[in-house]
Amino acid sequence: MRTFFDLLQTHVQAKEFEVRQIIAEGDDVVPIGRMVSEVKKTGRDIDTAFALHTTVRDGRITRYHLYEDSYAVAEAYFGD
């Protein structure tokens, strides 16, 4: 996870992050919200709703599945 977040920071700059709802059951937690990040290479923003399914066992993250608008991400990186 540390490597993932280190690499992510080389490509995007977080601008806004809002959690609107948290669903939790057992070891699973799903925050739902909206985030805005700037792609450093293009200067364009990624503005997307998200859901992040995480599982934590024995103090370690064992699942990290981020659901976001992949089209918005691609547009910010490669759009005209």
Side-chain angles (χ1 to χ4, degrees):
M1 293 300 303
R2 181 173 297 136
T3 302
F4 168 77
F5 285 109
D6 287 345
L7 288 172
L8 183 64
Q9 290 179 17
T10 66
H11 295 280
V12 298
Q13 174 66 45
K15 294 174 86 175
E16 296 178 40
F17 186 84
E18 176 188 5
V19 175
R20 296 180 178 159
Q21 181 180 5
I22 297 175
I23 301 166
E25 184 176 312
D27 295 335
D28 294 303
V29 177
V30 180
I32 298 169
R34 176 181 166 270
M35 62 183 166
V36 179
S37 302
E38 180 181 324
V39 176
K40 292 179 179 181
K41 179 178 159 184
T42 65
R44 296 183 186 124
D45 283 348
I46 303 166
D47 188 341
T48 183
F50 73 89
L52 173 60
H53 182 187
T54 59
T55 302
V56 179
R57 289 200 180 102
D58 299 323
R60 293 183 169 264
I61 297 170
T62 60
R63 175 185 318 208
Y64 183 94
H65 291 173
L66 177 63
Y67 303 92
E68 63 184 340
D69 182 349
S70 57
Y71 182 77
V73 174
E75 280 291 299
Y77 271 91
F78 309 110
D80 297 310

